Amino acid sequence: MSLDPAAIDTLKKVSTATITTIMLKKGLRNIWLRGTRPLREGQGRLVGKAFTLRFVPAREDLATPESWSKPISTRGAIEAMPEGVIVVADAMGVTDAGIFGDILCARMKKRGVAGLVTDGVMRDGEGCLGTGLPIWCDGVAAPPSVAGLTFVNWQEPIACGGVAVFPDDIIVVDDDGAVVIPAAYLDVVLAEAPEQERMEAWIMSEVESGVALPGLYPMNADTKARYEAYKASLK
Amino acid sequence: MSLDPAAIDTLKKVSTATITTIMLKKGLRNIWLRGTRPLREGQGRLVGKAFTLRFVPAREDLATPESWSKPISTRGAIEAMPEGVIVVADAMGVTDAGIFGDILCARMKKRGVAGLVTDGVMRDGEGCLGTGLPIWCDGVAAPPSVAGLTFVNWQEPIACGGVAVFPDDIIVVDDDGAVVIPAAYLDVVLAEAPEQERMEAWIMSEVESGVALPGLYPMNADTKARYEAYKASLK
Amino acid sequence: MSLDPAAIDTLKKVSTATITTIMLKKGLRNIWLRGTRPLREGQGRLVGKAFTLRFVPAREDLATPESWSKPISTRGAIEAMPEGVIVVADAMGVTDAGIFGDILCARMKKRGVAGLVTDGVMRDGEGCLGTGLPIWCDGVAAPPSVAGLTFVNWQEPIACGGVAVFPDDIIVVDDDGAVVIPAAYLDVVLAEAPEQERMEAWIMSEVESGVALPGLYPMNADTKARYEAYKASLK
Amino acid sequence: MSLDPAAIDTLKKVSTATITTIMLKKGLRNIWLRGTRPLREGQGRLVGKAFTLRFVPAREDLATPESWSKPISTRGAIEAMPEGVIVVADAMGVTDAGIFGDILCARMKKRGVAGLVTDGVMRDGEGCLGTGLPIWCDGVAAPPSVAGLTFVNWQEPIACGGVAVFPDDIIVVDDDGAVVIPAAYLDVVLAEAPEQERMEAWIMSEVESGVALPGLYPMNADTKARYEAYKASLK
Amino acid sequence: MSLDPAAIDTLKKVSTATITTIMLKKGLRNIWLRGTRPLREGQGRLVGKAFTLRFVPAREDLATPESWSKPISTRGAIEAMPEGVIVVADAMGVTDAGIFGDILCARMKKRGVAGLVTDGVMRDGEGCLGTGLPIWCDGVAAPPSVAGLTFVNWQEPIACGGVAVFPDDIIVVDDDGAVVIPAAYLDVVLAEAPEQERMEAWIMSEVESGVALPGLYPMNADTKARYEAYKASLK
Amino acid sequence: MSLDPAAIDTLKKVSTATITTIMLKKGLRNIWLRGTRPLREGQGRLVGKAFTLRFVPAREDLATPESWSKPISTRGAIEAMPEGVIVVADAMGVTDAGIFGDILCARMKKRGVAGLVTDGVMRDGEGCLGTGLPIWCDGVAAPPSVAGLTFVNWQEPIACGGVAVFPDDIIVVDDDGAVVIPAAYLDVVLAEAPEQERMEAWIMSEVESGVALPGLYPMNADTKARYEAYKASLK
């Protein structure tokens, strides 16, 4: 089942930084994927359910151009991707073999994939970007995936950038990288994130007015009262 | 199906070094698992089918002591292990959380597991060795697996030490570490390995007699003739 | 103030593995120091208050043999060490310059230092061990500290092996490495650790009797009842 | 005491590359901070006294949002920063927790901080840049500092990017990164750097005229004479 | 002997990604240099014979500004570079000492060097780019080469980015980085690469028309027939 | 020319630690080879001239079992080794392919090679040790050199463990690892090392008598006088 459009709307206004703050307060400190960043400036913020891909290291008898014709292949995976998902590929942090090039990215774009996130790299980076698919990755490399990786399966639990990602989890990506919201935590993030964003924006305006940090951020009782008054004034 | 006892007998006399030489000649250069070595001296050489375990990174909501009671858990995996297998655990090279301690090792030993191989580490190293289970790993660490790892499943394709391992593959471990023989290559290794060992032993005896390397190793035509004569003399 | 002898007695019977389990249940997952292990087999388990040392990288104008004569020097630090402490040296994981050699170790031993822990390395490893000082470190290197490190101060908060250590914390080291018990958590560890050890020993005996893991470890209600009966029988 | 404006003027015309050449000739080879670069193009060159910050690894009982209210906190540190300093933060090279976000950067900017240098990363990178504070760092990450770091103190000797930095040292940053001039070496750099820049500019013009390198760079006696003649012609 | 202009023309239309695909089919999986990328956007694609440089680590008695006057020096090497070569410098992946600055780059440009590739870094990055020399490297650092490197020789076999490069090999660099075509494989690449590019372009157009991947990429018999018909229509 | 036997005798009594201290005082901080240690306990201390070997990364067309028959091969290198040398092999720190196995070690031993030092690893570690050749390396791996390395040449300047080694340099190895004495510094080490050892032994005896460190190590004027008296008493 795809993600509720209202949830997408809400999360599109919440930075990945704010999501990590909320999750840390719930006890989850490890939800930001290391080694992945926007391949191009200005890709903005995307929200979607995770569609996971899993690779293991290359073995010369398995990781061959011929393997691309098998039912269990990156090709098969792409044809199984529902519209609106964010593909998250566990490349084990391998940076010397590109998981996909322009052709596969073009097909993902055609299928309505919202974006691609990996702790690995792309090949033919310019070609990939030319397809219009937003990509978060650890750079580019010329060699094909089979030079370093063997594709295993899709929609399994994976590791990506040192973080566990499950098929039902929600992914948010922006200029600070990618975070995972475990499915069971979606409601709490939706409930608390907008207020957190509002509060931090108010604190920012206070700093710009010259208010010092102690007592402001975090807020002490006086500051909280001022903030509540501000919020009341908005209604 | 477990491994043929005759195959085990043959492979017990073949070093992991020799297996890598044979496999390289078949075009497979990446079958030795990095980051795993005998936990204790004198563990000798073991041969068995791979029984794979897979971990992803810890997430505080999943990687908890409570998770150990779930059907899909390291406990469940252990109770599913057939006699004679070599357990290969993909710990993603994490070295600051021990995948197992003495209790789980004791149970594996009870169940007839031949040995344990991981690119991660053990906890309570002395306790683990006290169970008599032969272990190849990357050292020891005090913290439990859930401090860094979430167990996912067993008998899936895995990465271990930068090598792909599938449930049907054959594992050989000795003082040089662990190698995987892909199931489809078992017959060729069984066919060629004993001769490779015999030939290298003869070359070694030649070196000890003072023969220089060029023409000896690799053998030129003259040397090959001498070696064939030697082999004929054995019959 | 030095550590209560009764606390030392209790903790000497508790493995570092068990301490990490208890601390994880309290929400602290990062108390095991990476990159430090016994320099010699058979050093056993030690318990003591942390006496911290801090290094920064070498700068040729500061990190000189002449610097060893300054009041703020490793020499000054050693003369300030109380009896019974465990020295914890933040060497920033530098492994190509030894923080101490035989002479400084000999002096620490003379002063009654219980042991030395570092995420760096020793020089003249044999000489260091010859002094009888128990040492946990990341190996040995010939160069002196000033080849890579500048000593800064003692008894400050430090990083060691990726863990925060404060002067009042308690250190326990054994074959699995070194753990820190934050001062505020000492009482809870003293209260819970002996029972944890007792329980795990009983579970181990059950495994050795052939009991399967599910329901045993962790214990379900039936197993808990059996364990309580066992404990009652001990009185 | 803040840095002499004349010194700032002189150093603003000296590249970090030239400073490393001069310092190497004085025997200091390790003054360039690894793992830090301009967060945005076009930040130019900045000069200022170092104001140091020190972090150790996160411990869940210490590294909490609540800790931000303590007197010894990043907030307290910011309120202690004099105008014109360059803040240098020892984040131990941690790249998965941002040391500061937009609010703290805005306050530093308000207080007249000249720039921020760290071997760690920022969070909400766009927001940080939006404050106008020039930043040299190792990238961005969404999680807050407390996800990986515990703040300890300010104005202590620190390590940053493998280099020792003391509170009185001078920092110069440009597109090639950040260098430290130990306080005791400021005068020699001020004395020699402008001539080094002048000489290299002249050599560059010679190369552009087609002069070959041998004898030119470094200069032999003939070239030196031509260069002296050039300098005399300027007067 | 310099590279045939027709070969250059052909290779200028072949991406490094395509070259790695062709070489992998010939059994060579390791021809892409790790840790090197365009220093500036828009440097395009370059083709040339490799002119190799080799460094070893700095030793204070050898790696001095004085060493720059020796016959065997980077200066000597530059004066030996033929027009049209691509310089490939083995800096052992050292990223804290720049192998060259603006002066040496200016001289290489004067001598007609086509481009510079290294697994190390440049110093005075802006100055280097200002000379117009296209550069592929791993970033910038202020310190001079002698802070970390000792120059050894030119036109020897080298390692660069984990790949073996010999003086007669052909280098192709573009936005995906640098690949080496071993001299003995030049003809096969020239023969096969244009067709590979043509075929992938056709597949890309099919994807853009909405064709699904299975059977298209790789092509099954039907698709091959369609592609052959397309090629026939071009004549 | 081989090393003077008197020099060998002198250096056999000097630890690698002491050599690094003396060289640091001469301004050389980088002479200890990282990533190499005794393969077996009790190999003692060895002294000899460096005989260098150089590898670059494997390329499938070059790094083949067939390459072992070429004149420029590890076999050719071994037959060129003079008696008494210490072989130093630049394996670029590669730890997943063993540079030599038992046969080549046996031949080196036959030829009178004093010892082998590498920043890489051995294969068939037990077999290698069985030949009696003393070995310093970074561990063991099953795969042959051609799985990761291409042999290039012998007696060239090399990098080994981050240190420059030239064919005429002197190598000393003991339990703390391997150091290089540049040929030009041999005399100064021979002149100063015995006194450094004597002095440190006396300081050690003072520490064992209970003398505190300040003023003792380094020695102040009073201590120096006492030490001079001690030395006078020896005559």
Side-chain angles (χ1 to χ4, degrees), chain D residues 86-107:
Chain D
I86 295 184
V87 174
V88 185
D90 171 359
M92 300 176 301
V94 165
T95 57
D96 54 7
I99 61 165
F100 295 126
D102 59 348
I103 294 174
L104 299 201
C105 287
R107 182 62 186 159

Side-chain angles (χ1 to χ4, degrees), chain D residues 17 29 34 176 208 213 217, chain E residues 63 75 96 110 123-124 146:
Chain D
R29 289 169 175 260
R34 294 158 193 83
D176 276 9
E208 280 164 359
L213 295 170
Y217 182 50
Chain E
R75 280 70 175 160
D96 54 7
K110 273 278 169 190
R123 64 190 306 231
D124 185 9
V146 289

Side-chain angles (χ1 to χ4, degrees), chain F residues 1-19:
Chain F
M1 206 181 68
S2 66
L3 197 56
D4 175 30
I8 294 181
D9 277 358
T10 299
L11 291 174
K12 281 224 169 176
K13 295 172 202 130
V14 178
S15 72
T16 57
T18 293
I19 292 169

Side-chain angles (χ1 to χ4, degrees), chain E:
Chain E
M1 207 181 64
S2 66
L3 197 55
D4 176 29
I8 295 181
D9 277 358
T10 299
L11 291 174
K12 281 224 169 175
K13 296 173 201 129
V14 178
S15 72
T16 56
T18 294
I19 292 168
T20 61
T21 300
I22 290 170
M23 295 301 289
L24 184 138
K25 289 176 179 172
K26 309 301 171 197
L28 274 71
R29 289 168 174 260
N30 187 30
I31 63 160
W32 179 78
L33 283 61
R34 294 159 192 82
T36 190
R37 56 187 183 281
L39 185 54
R40 166 178 287 169
E41 280 190 22
Q43 293 187 159
R45 182 173 298 134
L46 299 178
V47 180
K49 281 211 173 177
F51 184 96
T52 66
L53 304 180
R54 188 159 75 91
F55 291 90
V56 294
R59 217 167 66 187
E60 290 88 344
D61 57 326
L62 298 171
T64 61
E66 292 69 39
S67 71
W68 293 331
S69 304
K70 294 184 185 166
I72 301 294
S73 67
T74 49
R75 280 70 175 160
I78 289 172
E79 299 300 331
M81 292 173 184
E83 200 177 331
V85 295
I86 295 183
V87 174
V88 186
D90 171 359
M92 300 175 302
V94 165
T95 56
D96 54 7
I99 61 166
F100 297 127
D102 58 349
I103 294 174
L104 299 199
C105 287
R107 182 62 185 158
M108 280 188 265
K109 182 70 183 171
K110 273 278 169 190
R111 290 191 59 81
V113 164
L116 170 64
V117 176
T118 183
D119 59 359
V121 297
M122 308 302 293
R123 64 190 306 231
D124 185 9
E126 283 308 302
C128 291
L129 289 172
T131 68
L133 184 74
I135 298 169
W136 276 252
C137 64
D138 200 16
V140 294
S145 62
V146 289
L149 298 166
T150 300
F151 180 71
V152 171
N153 213 344
W154 62 86
Q155 289 294 66
E156 289 185 346
I158 59 168
C160 190
V163 175
V165 181
F166 288 74
D168 272 338
D169 294 336
I170 292 87
I171 303 293
V172 182
V173 280
D174 62 16
D175 286 347
D176 276 8
V179 297
V180 58
I181 305 173
Y185 287 80
L186 177 58
D187 288 346
V188 73
V189 172
L190 290 173
E192 299 184 13
E195 167 58 15
Q196 181 80 17
E197 289 282 359
R198 192 180 308 121
M199 184 185 72
E200 296 209 354
W202 181 82
I203 290 174
M204 187 69 172
S205 70
E206 292 290 292
V207 168
E208 280 164 0
S209 312
V211 179
L213 294 170
L216 175 67
Y217 183 50
M219 297 192 282
N220 61 15
D222 281 0
T223 308
K224 274 180 190 161
R226 284 202 300 126
Y227 174 59
E228 291 304 322
Y230 158 78
K231 283 205 293 183
S233 76
L234 294 178
K235 288 170 191 169

Side-chain angles (χ1 to χ4, degrees), chain D residues 195-233:
Chain D
E195 167 59 15
Q196 181 80 17
E197 289 281 359
R198 191 180 308 121
M199 185 186 71
E200 296 208 355
W202 181 82
I203 290 174
M204 187 69 172
S205 69
E206 292 290 294
V207 168
E208 280 164 359
S209 312
V211 180
L213 295 170
L216 175 67
Y217 182 50
M219 298 192 281
N220 61 15
D222 282 359
T223 308
K224 275 180 191 160
R226 285 203 298 126
Y227 174 58
E228 291 303 324
Y230 159 78
K231 281 205 293 183
S233 76

Side-chain angles (χ1 to χ4, degrees), chain B residues 15-21 24-25 29 32 34 174-177 179 199-201 203-204 207-214 216-219, chain F residues 58-60 63-65 68-69 74-75 78-79 95-96 102-104 106-107 110 123-127 131 140-144 146-148:
Chain B
S15 72
T16 56
T18 293
I19 291 169
T20 62
T21 300
L24 185 138
K25 289 177 180 172
R29 288 168 176 259
W32 179 77
R34 295 157 193 84
D174 62 17
D175 285 348
D176 276 8
V179 297
M199 185 185 72
E200 296 208 355
I203 290 174
M204 186 70 172
V207 168
E208 280 163 1
S209 313
V211 180
L213 294 170
L216 175 66
Y217 182 50
M219 298 192 281
Chain F
R59 215 165 68 188
E60 290 89 343
T64 60
W68 292 331
S69 303
T74 47
R75 279 70 176 163
I78 289 171
E79 298 301 330
T95 56
D96 53 7
D102 58 348
I103 294 174
L104 298 200
R107 182 62 186 159
K110 273 277 168 191
R123 65 189 305 228
D124 186 9
E126 283 309 300
T131 68
V140 294
V146 290

